[in-house]
Amino acid sequence: MERKQFELGDVVQMKKQHPCGTNEMEIIRMGMDIRIKCVGCKHSVLIPRAKFEKNLKKVLRSAADQQQKEGEDGPTAN
């Protein structure tokens, strides 16, 4: 089975939704444990990496894509 690719700053979709009603989480810390922050209510939780990888459905918005987009749409000097 292929491992899912994710990195710091990504917004991911989890299999189960947060009690506030959204299932979108932002990765804010990575290591043996992963801290994710709910996009809806900004509550953060620290969960073991194995449990996170099991409950991860897909990456919605990658941090690398966001930075690349900001670079293209950068400020214009007038």
Side-chain angles (χ1 to χ4, degrees), residues 3-77:
R3 293 187 69 173
K4 297 178 178 114
Q5 298 294 318
F6 52 88
E7 58 187 53
L8 192 65
D10 287 356
V11 176
V12 297
Q13 181 180 18
M14 304 301 282
K15 289 182 181 174
K16 294 183 180 178
Q17 67 182 15
H18 191 254
C20 75
T22 185
N23 59 353
E24 293 184 17
M25 302 282 187
E26 179 183 358
I27 301 172
I28 57 175
R29 180 180 179 269
M30 288 178 58
M32 285 300 293
D33 296 323
I34 296 183
R35 183 170 297 275
I36 54 178
K37 180 173 67 173
C38 177
V39 173
C41 67
K42 308 297 187 218
H43 182 255
S44 70
V45 265
L46 186 68
I47 58 175
R49 180 180 283 266
K51 186 174 181 181
F52 174 80
E53 289 178 353
K54 179 183 170 204
N55 292 329
L56 174 66
K57 198 168 186 181
K58 64 181 176 181
V59 177
L60 297 174
R61 294 183 296 275
S62 174
D65 292 343
Q66 292 286 4
Q67 289 176 351
Q68 199 173 45
K69 189 174 182 179
E70 288 175 5
E72 293 171 1
D73 298 339
T76 57

